[in-house]
């Protein structure tokens, strides 16, 4: 991994909280070099880094798939969860021919089971702690908010009720990107698949949130390569900004 190019992207976008997935060798080194003095490594796969104090870490589900932290945001405690769902089944070739029902059924034994187990833990934490929650990561699954009637010509003629994203919405979470960009037809850029002309570019990385005191005010897919380099990831990043109302303090 060329960490210098990843560092350029982080410095350019300057997030307060950083969720990283599939960093393996380099996640902690990148965060330290970028100046995140508070960071915690959940596993070789996942890490959360923060400019604010991480006051507690919480074990949920399997550490390779998820971990949670509580961060003190200038006197307001918030729960942050970073996750990675299974890469199989890999639909990006078969998606051209499989029916919507087959695509939905294929999610059941891996990603849907994982997100259900993770969210059972998160829901219990949210109920006990009564904190705003932000959940982000690599879901390896599309969104039912994107694969709709108006966009089906760009999705091999399909409308798909992707079950992982439906599960998040059913549990009261908001897709921060789609909240800001209401019309999927005008925001067809994805976070994966952009490196190949043979497959569609789809949004499979998300930042969800829950809490009456939180509102998503800005969200984008970080598409531009850093000056003089390549992004050095097969995924693009999601950057979302939130407003925390007085009732959250």
């Amino acid at each position: 991994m060329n960490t210098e190019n990843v560092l350029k992207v982080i410095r350019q976008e300057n997030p307060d909280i950083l969720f990283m997935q599939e960093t393996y060798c380099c996640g902690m080194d990148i965060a330290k070099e970028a100046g995140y003095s508070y960071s915690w490594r959940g596993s070789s796969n996942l890490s959360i880094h923060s400019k604010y104090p991480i006051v507690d870490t919480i074990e949920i589900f399997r550490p390779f798939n998820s971990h949670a932290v509580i961060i003190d945001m200038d006197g307001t405690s918030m729960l942050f969860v970073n996750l990675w769902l299974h890469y199989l089944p890999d639909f990006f070739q078969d998606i051209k021919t499989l029916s919507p029902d087959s695509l939905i059924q294929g999610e059941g034994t891996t990603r849907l089971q994982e997100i259900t187990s993770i969210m059972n833990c998160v829901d219990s934490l949210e109920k006990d702690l009564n904190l705003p929650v932000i959940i982000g990561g690599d879901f390896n699954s599309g969104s039912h908010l994107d694969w709709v009637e108006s966009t089906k010509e760009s999705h091999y003629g399909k409308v798909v009720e992707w079950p992982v994203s439906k599960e998040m919405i059913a549990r009261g979470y908001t897709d921060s990107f789609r909240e800001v960009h209401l019309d999927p037809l005008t925001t067809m850029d994805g976070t994966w698949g952009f490196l190949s002309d043979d497959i569609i570019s789809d949004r499979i990385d998300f930042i969800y949130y829950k809490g009456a005191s939180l509102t998503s005010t800005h969200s984008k897919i970080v598409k531009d390569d850093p000056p003089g380099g390549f992004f050095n990831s097969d995924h693009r990043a999601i950057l979302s900004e939130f407003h925390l109302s007085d009732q959250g303090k």
Side-chain angles (χ1 to χ4, degrees):
M1 173 183 284
N2 186 330
T3 59
E4 182 58 37
N5 285 330
V6 177
L7 277 167
K8 287 180 180 179
V9 174
I10 294 171
R11 286 168 174 155
Q12 176 177 298
E13 301 301 334
N14 194 30
D16 292 320
I17 311 296
L18 178 63
F19 292 171
M20 301 186 76
Q21 306 87 34
E22 299 185 12
T23 53
Y24 304 121
C25 68
C26 312
M28 187 62 71
D29 291 339
I30 291 171
K32 288 179 179 178
E33 185 67 23
Y36 289 81
S37 55
Y38 296 92
S39 58
W40 183 78
R41 187 90 170 173
S43 75
S44 62
N45 182 26
L46 299 173
S47 52
I48 294 177
H49 312 280
S50 174
K51 293 183 178 180
Y52 294 87
I54 296 177
V55 297
D56 197 7
T57 59
I58 304 170
E59 294 183 4
I60 60 171
F61 193 51
R62 297 189 292 258
F64 193 82
N65 295 98
S66 60
H67 75 277
V69 300
I70 296 175
I71 296 178
D72 180 357
M73 307 289 293
D74 286 335
T76 297
S77 293
M78 293 179 57
L79 178 64
F80 291 84
V81 180
N82 186 19
L83 61 80
W84 175 90
L85 301 184
H86 209 289
Y87 71 98
L88 294 176
D90 182 353
F91 284 139
F92 280 94
Q93 290 296 334
D94 294 339
I95 205 169
K96 300 173 183 178
T97 56
L98 289 176
S99 69
D101 286 344
S102 296
L103 294 170
I104 292 167
Q105 185 177 6
E107 298 276 290
T109 57
T110 53
R111 293 186 277 266
L112 184 57
Q113 284 189 7
E114 289 174 346
I115 197 63
T116 300
S117 297
I118 291 168
M119 293 311 299
N120 285 342
C121 298
V122 175
D123 284 353
S124 295
L125 285 173
E126 189 260 338
K127 182 178 179 180
D128 292 341
L129 298 173
N130 192 28
L131 298 177
V133 186
I134 293 179
I135 300 174
D138 178 3
F139 286 69
N140 274 313
S141 178
S143 172
H144 71 290
L145 301 177
D146 296 352
W147 288 66
V148 295
E149 188 69 28
S150 65
T151 64
K152 70 178 184 180
E153 293 309 311
S154 298
H155 292 143
Y156 307 114
K158 297 178 174 66
V159 174
V160 182
E161 295 284 316
W162 293 105
V164 171
S165 63
K166 289 192 71 175
E167 181 72 13
M168 294 300 296
I169 301 302
R171 290 178 183 257
Y173 285 82
T174 299
D175 178 336
S176 62
F177 180 85
R178 189 52 65 212
E179 180 182 35
V180 173
H181 306 282
L182 295 175
D183 184 0
L185 192 59
T186 64
T187 49
M188 293 292 293
D189 290 322
T191 61
W192 194 89
F194 53 89
L195 295 177
S196 173
D197 294 331
D198 189 43
I199 56 178
I200 61 172
S201 180
D202 198 12
R203 226 171 35 107
I204 65 171
D205 303 86
F206 303 93
I207 299 175
Y208 290 95
Y209 76 94
K210 184 178 184 180
S213 59
L214 277 179
T215 306
S216 178
T217 59
H218 175 75
S219 186
K220 70 174 184 177
I221 298 171
V222 181
K223 296 182 290 184
D224 295 333
D225 289 325
F230 175 64
F231 200 111
N232 285 105
S233 173
D234 60 342
H235 292 246
R236 292 309 197 198
I238 293 287
L239 179 70
S240 289
E241 297 177 8
F242 297 90
H243 172 72
L244 182 64
S245 68
D246 290 340
Q247 72 183 82
K249 297 184 177 181

